[in-house]
Structure formats: C-alpha cells, structure tokens
Amino acid sequence: MSTHLHLAVALDGAGWHPAAWREPGARPTELLTPRYWVDLVQEAERGLLDLVTIEDGLSLQSTDRSGPDGRTDQVRGRLDAVQVAARVAPLTRSIGLVPTAVVTHTEPFHLSKAIATLDYVSTGRAGVRVKVSGSPAEAAHFGRRTLPELGSLDPADPQTQAALRELFDEAADWVEVLRRLWDSWEDDAEIRDVATGRFVDREKLHYIDFEGRSFSVKGPSITPRPPQGQPVVAALAHQAIPFELVGRSADLGFVTPADRADAGRVVGEVRAAQQAAGRAGETVHVWGDLVVFLDDDAATARARRERLDETAGAAYTSDALVFTGTPAELADLLTDWAAAGLTGYRLRPAALPHDLRQVTTGLVPELQRRGLFRTAYEADTLRGLLGLPRPANRYATV
Amino acid sequence: MTKQVHLAAHFPGVNNTTVWSDPAAGSHIEFGSFVRFAEAAERGKFDFLFLAEGLRLREQNGAIYDLDVVGRPDTFTVLAALAAVTEHLGLAGTINSTFNEPYEVARQFASLDHLSGGRAAWNVVTSWDAFTGENFRRGGFLAQDQRYERARTFLQTVTELLDSWRGDEVVADQQSGVFLADPDAGRFAHSDAHFDIAGRFDVPRSPQGRPVVFQAGDSEEGREFAASAADAIFSRHGTKEAGQAFYTDVKGRLEKYGRRREDLLILPAATFVIGDTDAEAAELAAEVRKQQVSGQTALRKLEEVWNRDLSGYDPDGPLPEVDPLVGEHTVAKGRASVRMNRDPLAVARDWREQAEAKGLSIRELMIEVSSRQNFIGSAATVAEQIDDLVQSDASDGFILVPHLTPGGLDPFVDAVVPLLQERGVYRTEYPGTTLRDNLGLPPLGAPA
Ligand SMILES: Cc1cc2nc3c(=O)[nH]c(=O)nc-3n(C[C@H](O)[C@H](O)[C@H](O)COP(=O)(O)O)c2cc1C
C-alpha cells in the first residue's frame, strides 16, 4: 500500500465562496467558455493531481436548497459537467475527469454510455460522481415526480429518513445499472470475423435484465465496454444512508469530517457499510472534503477570507470544514487526518484560479518534500492512479 | 444565380453500407477515428459532422444482429470532445425526442453550443417503439401517431427553455457586484399533454441561441414537422428525380408557416466511390457493393420486408414464393428502415418484377435496391454531378456517407472539393464562425 496521499480538486464556477467571482484574478465573464475549463484542468494536471470533479445540478444555482433565490450578486448559470469533461479530455493526458451526474432525474442508459464515452475520449481517465437530488424545484424541471422538501425537514425525522432512503436506494439501483451496462459487452466482443461475416460475437453481449423497484433496464449497452472496464464511481456522503451508498456502490467516497476524531468515526462507518455490502475485499477510497483558502502566509489567507465574506455580506459556511492558512499548515492537517484512515482529499478551492494555484504550486511541492505525494504520473488511467485493478467482467464465462 | 453547394459528413456506423471487413477499416468507437474523420471534414470546409443514433442494439430473428458494425459512442460526449480538436466544423447529433426530457436536452445542446463556440446542431428523430423503450427507466414508448406530436412539443419546449435567456443577462461586473442583470433570467413554464414543467433554466444563452435543427423522418407528418420547425432536412432522396420531387414538395410547404424557401435546406444522404477514371470507379463501386451486401446480409435485408425468418433460402437463388407477413413487424427490431416501410406487399411485388425482368438472385436484387452509390466516377465526374443536382434543385447539398472509417472521406476532400471550388460553387474559406452562419441560415433574433 502506497503511503502517498491522493489529491483532487473540486471545480465549480469561480470557486466555492459566493463572492469568489469578484476577486482580482477571477474570470467571471468566461465561466461558460471552454478556455476557462481547459486552463483550470491543465493547471490541476501540472500539479499531478489524481482527478478533478466538476460540479453540476439540474437547476440554477441558489442559496435556497428548495428552489431559485432570485439573487443577482452571485454566479448563476453553468454547463453540463459531462460535456465540460469531454471538452477538456483531448487537451489533457493524465488527470482523471469526474463530472457530476444527477441520478434522480436522468436515465442510467444515457449516462452509462456518456461516461463510457468519456472514458474513450480520455483514454481511460473517466469517472462519475453520482448525486441524488431532493430539490422540489429540480423535480419540477422534469415534471414526472414531486419530491418532499427535504431541506426544510428535520434530518432525524422518520419521514425524512424514509424519503432519503428511497432516493438513495434508487441511486444504488442506478449505479448497478451503470455497472452492468459497462459489463454488458465483454472486452473481446468485437471480433470482425471476415470468414463468417460477423462483426461481433453475440455470445459476448449480454442483456442486463435489471428489475428494480422504480425502473427496469434491458441492455445491452450500445457502447462497448470502456477502456477502464468500469470507470470510477464516486459519491459525496454526509450521513448514514449516503455512507451506505458509498459502501454498496462507489469506488470513491467524499466525506466531510469536522476534525480528526470525526474523520475516524466517518471512515469507520463507511468501512462498516462496505463490509455489510460484502465488499470488504475491494478498495473503496474515502477522501476528506475541505474548502480551502490558501496563501503564502496565514494572515493573508485570513484577510482574503474576511474580504470575501464582507463582499458577500455574510460569513462563509459549508458542509465541509473550511480551512484558512498556508499550504504547509494544510499539509500538516492532511497528514494528521490521514492517520484516521482517509486515503486522500478533495479540496474545494474557495476562489479560482487562486486557490487552485496554491494547491498546485504550494501544497503539492510541500507534500512532495514530505514524501507524501507523487512526483510524476505513474499510471495512465484513473483506476491506475487510484490503485484500483481493472475489474473482471461479471458476465464473462472464461 | 449559381447556388453554393453545402457538404457535410456522416460518420460511418451501424448499417450495411459501412464496410468493416476492409483492411483499411478502423475503429468506430476509438476517439482517434473521430478526430481523423473530423479533420478531413474540416480540411474540406464541410458544414458539419453528423452522428446518427440508435438506442438499442438491433435484433433479428430473436438474436442481436451481428453482421454490421455494432456499437457506437454517446453523441454529446463525442461532439464535445471533437469541439476541442476542430475550429469551424459544425457538430450535429441525432437525439431522440421520445426517450429524453426537454430540460436535459436543452441544457445539453446549450452546453455543446457554448463549448464549441456556436457549432451545435440537433437532428430530431422520433423513434417511438417499445423495443427501444425497454432500455429506459420510464419504460416509455408512444403510439406511432403520437411521435410527431411529442417531437413538436418537445422541440417547442426546448426552444422555450433556450429562449428563457435573452443573452444580455450575464454582466459579471466585479465593480458593482452585479452578476445577473435580471433576477428572473431563465424563468419558464410549459404545460401540455406531454410536459408540465416550470422553473428556471440554468444555461445562459449560447452563441447560436439554439442549435441548428435537422429533421430526418420521411412521412407526411415528418415533412410537415420539418417545414414548420426545422432548419434543414436530412433526406433519403439523393437521385435527381426523387430529389427534385422531395425538394418541391417540402419547400412548397414553407409558405403556410410564414417561412421562405431559403429558410430550410434539403441535404440528402449520399454515398460515393471515386476512381482515377470513371471506369475504375465503376469497378471499385461494384466491389464495394459486394462487400456491403453479402449473401447473409441480403437475406437479412429481405427479412426486413418479408417479416419472416428466411434463413433457409439460398441468397444466390430466386426470391421466396411466400409473401411478406403483414401486420406488426416481429423479425427485425430496432431499425428505422423497418418503421418506414409501410406497405411490404407492394415492395415485394415491385422487387419480384425487377428480379424477374433482370433475372436477379436474392443477393443481386438486394445489391440493386439497397446499396446504389449516388456518386461514382472520377473526381471531375462527381463534381459535375453534384453541381448539377444542386443547380437543378434536387438538393441544396449532400451529407456524405463514406463506406470506410476513418479515412473514407479523404478521396472526396482531396480530389472533388478542389474541383467544386474551381467551379465557383463551393467555399474556399468558412464564411462565419457559427454553424448557422456557415449554412447561410438567417440569424436568430433575440427572444422577445
Ligand atoms: C436519412 C435518415 C436518417 C435517419 N437517421 C436516424 C437515426 O440516426 N436514428 C434514429 O433513431 N432514426 C433515424 N431516422 C428515422 C427517423 O428520424 C424517424 O424516427 C422515423 O423515420 C419515423 O419518422 P417518419 O415516420 O416520419 O419517417 C432517420 C431517417 C432518415 C430518413
């Protein structure tokens, strides 16, 4: 087992702080241009990061979880994350590309072929972060179902738990369909046998015949098995039911501990869920999510955060810990938490490109000095970078 | 006035015209094939690259069809990646209106348009069957007579979503702190028998405002849909007579929608075989046809009309004495050509007559009726034919379907394009930056 930490950045708009777009280095008029995204991901690749995630949702950004907020002082509008990843893929070589996909309203058949194709266009660097949507506003964009306002309900309330359970069970089904579709072509299904005139060996194509509670899917996929066999499936998880989804279905979980002790507890819960799902023998990464304000000295970072808060008119809060300080201080924290069992981190830059550059030119060299981070890409697929084997095909008989 | 020829390129794929057995045939999935193909199209100053779609693997006689290329990548993902390696080429994707939702498709095309700087196009197709529906969580399928009703309202809804941003809302003024000029940008509400949706669309207006819209069905309803709402038709009528009839018919339908003849381009699919001389090209074309229609392929194509398992027949023998089975088609599944075939008995009658008159076996007949190349000849001959068809209003140009991946376009681009340029009927530079510009379509006004 490598002692190296894994490192990702989470890209979203102008950064995670709502006032980030007003920073001097920001490019707020370019957020919908390909150049902007190519620049960011190429910067992350210069830092040898494992992967970038690209945030997405099926509604306009809002401070109100249940629907649009009518604000005009924050970044609004975004592009389809899978396409952003695809647009960047030919212009990068080694970094993993993990767009977000909302499972609650989309067709697993469509997403399965999209992520498989991302794997082809990136030659083996694709993943997907699956996201459940409990937003009634988002449901109204599809008009097929109504959802309770989870955001306004008490998370301990049994009704909320039941609604959450239903959404996450559906997400687990969705991932199961994705994975079966990726396996629905054996690797050597295309035979191009001129003698018999057969392009494929149909014995190596498989119906997935998925029957779940809320949907069924026949298969096989229309897209052959992707280069990695199974692209990497990631999920963000904050509590028990989502931890179970990570344990059951994901290769990579993003979690949001408040401190080292909490990190230990969370990792324990995910490992228990993994065990309960019969996956104890498989590698499932658990990475800590942190929002980061990074500068060469801590006072500058704090001042910047205060300035941003003042611009926004409110102190920034997040589901994840908000770290403010130097790359060296962050390296201390990451090292400390890793002892609790986290295998890596997904850093959410407070402001782009500033905090991304602090990661690539400050944090990464610091971790390298400590022998905790790679000095070159050592694999050419995302699974390879994550130490995940290329999985056997569940349908192959020999 | 001399009309300018439009050219586009259809990436070869899941059909028997694509010859996969040739030693020069490459992958239909690997991205490198798409890059090479797109580069040739852009070198030839083509308007766009076109991807077809199928949402379920074809089956025949209860088994997955294995004689043609099987498999294709996802449309949006390939096109977005191609945007990174091309500069001018339009990126046209076939996306079904039955197995998708307007909010999602609107944001996918708006995203593609942003990520390509205004080069997105949507070929709206309406396959509706339960066979395909089995791959979707909705399990949904439509009655045949609802396919265009849904397509029409789907396109209408997508247009409303795209028009929910005028294009001047994102100001992102760092000084004043105003990011959006309008707190209601993107607001929409649409309610009809198919969609009841409301909220705020999340992709600001893209360079083209909306993708260029193609239509590809051939029925009466399909033509009417195209005349009312499409910017271009991808048609099957590439010969002079059929092309002119189709052209006259469809362009004649425009006026009642308040549209002008130049608002809708007619672009038939066209295959080609080019040789140093006409004779050499003819020889090559005959070879290609044999590769496209093997004995087995001929029987399978016959089954598409006969709706019976014809495995027992000899492809080098005469047509079956039995008639096609009419009614629900059960033999060949997942084929648009089958869905379009409305009167199998009439087709069989016609084919029997042809076979009798010319003394053709099953395979010979299927070669005759199913794989005629549109353009066969030296580059000079082909350039002349294309020019003639366009000037005589058989079409406004062609969507070329080479039989080889990925290099199949090269002979055309290298030899025919320069001759069309010499004739003054084809561009030497891209005239604009967006696909709409390059197609010569009227610009969209800002939404009201
Ligand atoms: C030239 C041409 C190309 C087509 N390509 C596709 C395709 O790629 N995918 C698809 O599902 N249907 C395709 N179709 C089928 C039609 O779009 C449509 O779904 C079908 O023909 C039913 O409409 P109709 O009854 O008006 O013909 C194509 C049709 C034509 C004429």
Side-chain angles (χ1 to χ4, degrees), chain A residues 279-304:
Chain A
R279 297 177 70 211
E282 296 176 35
T283 300
V284 175
H285 282 284
V286 184
W287 293 3
D289 256 28
L290 297 162
V291 179
V292 296
F293 291 83
L294 296 171
D295 280 293
D296 297 343
D297 67 276
T300 308
R302 273 196 303 277
R304 190 161 58 88

Side-chain angles (χ1 to χ4, degrees), chain A residues 21-24 26 28-29 31-34 56-60 68-84 86-87 90-91 103-111 113-114 117-118 120-121 137 140-145 170 174 185 190 192-194 196-200 202 205 207 214-224, chain B residues 20-21 25-31 53-57 59-60 62-74 76-78 80-85 99-101 103-104 107-112 114-116 134-138 165 170-183 185 187-188 196-204 296:
Chain A
W21 69 274
R22 299 186 62 185
E23 282 291 284
T29 59
L31 304 181
L32 304 176
T33 66
D56 206 357
L58 295 171
S59 58
L60 201 61
D69 59 6
R71 289 182 73 148
T72 56
D73 63 332
Q74 298 182 358
V75 170
R76 293 291 180 267
R78 64 178 146 211
L79 302 177
D80 178 75
V82 177
Q83 285 190 50
V84 170
R87 177 65 175 76
L91 306 175
V103 305
T104 310
H105 304 294
T106 56
E107 293 283 355
F109 190 85
H110 286 317
L111 257 301
K113 65 185 156 65
T117 303
L118 182 61
Y120 279 103
V121 303
H141 292 166
F142 289 80
R144 291 207 307 263
R145 63 204 284 178
E170 187 185 51
W174 198 93
W185 289 58
E190 185 179 313
R192 294 187 184 236
D193 186 29
V194 178
T196 60
R198 293 177 307 145
F199 182 81
V200 289
R202 58 164 79 113
L205 299 175
Y207 297 99
S214 58
F215 59 88
S216 60
V217 176
K218 180 77 186 173
S221 178
I222 58 165
T223 306
Chain B
W20 53 261
S21 54
S27 170
H28 299 86
I29 305 291
E30 304 290 337
F31 187 54
E53 182 186 59
L55 294 173
R56 180 148 177 203
L57 299 187
E59 290 180 9
Q60 200 140 332
I64 288 169
Y65 192 78
D66 58 2
L67 299 179
D68 296 345
V69 167
V70 180
R72 48 178 117 217
D74 177 67
F76 286 117
T77 314
V78 165
L82 282 176
V85 295
F99 303 109
N100 288 285
E101 296 298 326
Y103 192 92
E104 208 177 357
R107 80 191 299 268
Q108 286 171 316
F109 275 113
S111 297
L112 182 62
H114 277 289
L115 292 170
S116 64
E134 282 184 308
N135 276 337
F136 294 94
R137 64 153 95 190
R138 309 180 64 221
W165 292 76
V170 176
V171 290
D173 180 10
Q174 291 185 311
Q175 290 309 310
S176 66
V178 174
F179 189 87
L180 271 194
D182 177 359
R187 190 166 294 286
F188 68 91
D196 183 9
I197 64 174
R200 286 180 70 187
F201 185 55
D202 65 337
V203 188
Q296 285 193 71

Side-chain angles (χ1 to χ4, degrees), chain B residues 10 50-54 72 94 96 123-128 144 147-148 215-223 234-236 269 336 339-340 342:
Chain B
H10 184 308
F50 182 94
L51 296 183
E53 182 186 59
R72 48 178 117 217
T94 300
N96 183 290
N123 178 36
V124 187
V125 294
T126 60
S127 328
W128 65 87
Q144 181 177 340
R147 71 198 187 288
Y148 279 108
Q215 188 274 351
D218 201 22
S219 60
E220 180 67 21
E221 304 98 295
R223 292 178 186 205
F234 177 26
S235 96
R236 294 192 298 150
R339 289 191 291 269
M340 285 186 272
R342 309 260 190 269

Side-chain angles (χ1 to χ4, degrees), chain A residues 159-180:
Chain A
Q159 227 182 314
T160 309
Q161 288 293 311
L164 208 60
R165 165 74 61 197
E166 205 173 306
L167 286 173
F168 276 85
D169 279 349
E170 187 185 51
D173 281 357
W174 198 93
V175 175
E176 175 68 14
V177 169
L178 233 58
R179 292 190 182 281
R180 286 196 203 177

